Amino acid sequence: MPPLSRALVVEAGRVLVENGLLAPGEKFSDQGKRVGLIGGTTTGSLATDLEFAATLLTGPNLASPALFGYTLPNIPLSEAANHFGLIGPVYAIFAPESPLVAAEEEAGRWLVSQPELTLMLACAFDSRPMPGQAGQLAITFTIVSR
């Protein structure tokens, strides 16, 4: 699992436990709660995409299948959804300006239109590629409720 996915799962867990929404090891789905996650991003999975592309340089048959599965921007969110039992809407949106605000607004629209949702999580997440270095991670979570 690339660093962005690992960090997103860890940060989601920290926010959920810190706010008393889940105890360690608990899942929303086990409690019968429908919770979703919208992530706003400016770069998506670009850092992983570039890592995967580098593996293609040695030939298409040698491309990394482990990285390929993470070349979509919604995958880090899906990892968190699986870990914490999020069974509401989970997807990424591109927002070049204010990705957290865009994610919060989208999450709010879901809450208005889907009364069966208990709450929504919103986050801004990015992994900016750094030539010759690990990508710079940025993750911020918020809880959106009625």
Side-chain angles (χ1 to χ4, degrees):
M1 187 183 299
L4 180 61
S5 292
R6 287 193 309 257
L8 201 131
V9 170
V10 169
E11 183 61 9
R14 186 193 67 76
V15 167
L16 293 171
V17 170
E18 192 174 89
N19 285 281
L21 296 170
L22 287 179
E26 286 185 329
K27 291 186 174 193
F28 285 113
S29 56
D30 293 341
Q31 300 172 0
K33 295 179 180 177
R34 292 183 53 88
V35 176
L37 170 59
I38 306 299
T41 183
T42 61
T43 59
S45 57
L46 181 59
T48 303
D49 297 348
L50 293 172
E51 286 181 56
F52 176 73
T55 69
L56 287 169
L57 295 175
T58 56
N61 293 337
L62 299 174
S64 171
L67 288 175
F68 179 74
Y70 290 93
T71 58
L72 296 172
N74 63 312
I75 299 302
L77 304 172
S78 297
E79 293 282 3
N82 184 50
H83 195 81
F84 299 108
L86 307 182
I87 55 174
V90 176
Y91 59 91
I93 57 175
F94 280 90
E97 302 292 324
S98 306
L100 182 59
V101 171
E104 289 172 324
E105 290 172 350
E106 182 74 3
R109 285 189 284 275
W110 276 101
L111 286 171
V112 167
S113 67
Q114 302 292 319
E116 69 275 6
L117 290 170
T118 304
L119 61 92
M120 291 288 292
L121 302 174
C123 72
F125 70 104
D126 279 301
S127 178
R128 292 185 174 77
M130 305 292 287
Q133 304 175 22
Q136 181 182 16
L137 301 178
I139 301 170
T140 306
F141 267 88
T142 189
I143 298 158
V144 182
S145 58
R146 290 181 172 77

